[in-house]
Amino acid sequence: MAQTISYITGAQLLSLRRRPNIAIIDVRDEERSYDGHIAGSLHYASDTFSDKISDLIQDVKGKDTLVFHCALSQVRGPTCARKFASHLEETKEDTGIKSVLVLERGFNGWEASGRPVCRCTDVPCKGKTT
């Protein structure tokens, strides 16, 4: 597992997100419910993230790339990505995860660029986009 957290652009994520080995982790808090989200993303709110890392590891079994984001990916997204990477390093758990990335410009940048947004309230997200 790499010590550093790398960034991925919205365009890169758009081309990769349909691959079965990628999980998108939305760490926004309540704004996810009214702003929409990236279709298929998993929601792990930043305010309870540390308590739910074990749940996240279970939810991403079979994935080797995780892409974290918040609204702008300036604080919550990178912080949660680092916490997750540190947890994996400390526990030395063999999860198969090779890359922990952060979405550049976050959800707001994704949506502002005209990329597809899902407004479902399904948990987990069923992937309907608008």
Side-chain angles (χ1 to χ4, degrees), residues 86-129:
S86 293
H87 174 83
L88 293 181
E89 288 172 16
E90 288 167 14
T91 62
K92 307 223 183 299
E93 201 170 334
D94 183 17
T95 60
I97 297 167
K98 296 180 177 77
S99 299
V100 176
L101 307 169
V102 175
L103 175 61
E104 217 172 70
R105 298 180 58 223
F107 176 79
N108 293 0
W110 175 271
E111 185 177 39
S113 298
R115 295 192 175 92
V117 171
C118 183
R119 305 217 184 266
C120 79
T121 56
D122 300 332
V123 179
C125 170
K126 302 281 191 290
K128 303 172 211 145
T129 57

Side-chain angles (χ1 to χ4, degrees), residues 3-94:
Q3 293 270 5
T4 59
I5 302 298
S6 299
Y7 283 78
I8 184 172
T9 67
Q12 290 169 319
L13 180 57
L14 189 61
S15 69
L16 296 176
R17 75 185 183 111
R18 299 254 182 245
R19 290 181 29 204
N21 62 328
I22 292 180
I24 302 168
I25 315 303
D26 184 341
V27 298
R28 293 175 298 152
D29 299 316
E30 71 283 344
E31 70 264 37
R32 177 183 166 102
S33 63
Y34 52 81
D35 283 349
H37 51 276
I38 298 172
S41 62
L42 300 172
H43 185 224
Y44 279 85
S46 65
D47 59 355
T48 58
F49 183 80
S50 295
D51 299 331
K52 299 198 174 181
I53 288 178
S54 295
D55 295 338
L56 176 56
I57 289 171
Q58 292 304 310
D59 281 351
V60 299
K61 279 213 183 305
K63 310 292 184 190
D64 66 13
T65 303
L66 271 55
V67 180
F68 286 79
H69 77 83
C70 57
L72 300 171
S73 289
Q74 292 179 348
V75 178
R76 294 175 293 178
T79 299
C80 290
R82 280 192 293 275
K83 282 180 185 176
F84 187 80
S86 293
H87 174 83
L88 293 181
E89 288 172 16
E90 288 167 14
T91 62
K92 307 223 183 299
E93 201 170 334
D94 183 17

